[in-house]
Structures are given as C-alpha cells and as structure tokens.
Amino acid sequence: MGQHYSHLSAEERGAIMVGKARGESARQLGRLLGRS
C-alpha cells in the first residue's frame, strides 16, 4: 500500500498525444514522462 498515484498534468497529456501520433509505445512514453 506504499504506492501513490497522481493525475496527469496538461503538459503530460499533451506529450502523450504527440507521442501517440508519432507511433511511440506506452513504454517509451512512460520512460519519457518518468512514469510507469
């Protein structure tokens, strides 16, 4: 029970949208954002 979750910021959401449009994987996007 030691994990803490937080919502994505607007910047993170934008980065995900751009990355998905480029064809990047979820793993690549997570590494870019420093999230799992």
Side-chain angles (χ1 to χ4, degrees), residues 8-34:
L8 294 172
S9 69
E11 292 82 14
E12 289 172 320
R13 290 176 192 271
I16 290 169
M17 287 173 49
V18 170
K20 293 289 269 180
R22 290 183 189 162
E24 294 177 7
S25 70
R27 181 174 293 213
Q28 288 171 313
L29 293 170
R31 193 176 309 125
L32 174 72
L33 297 173

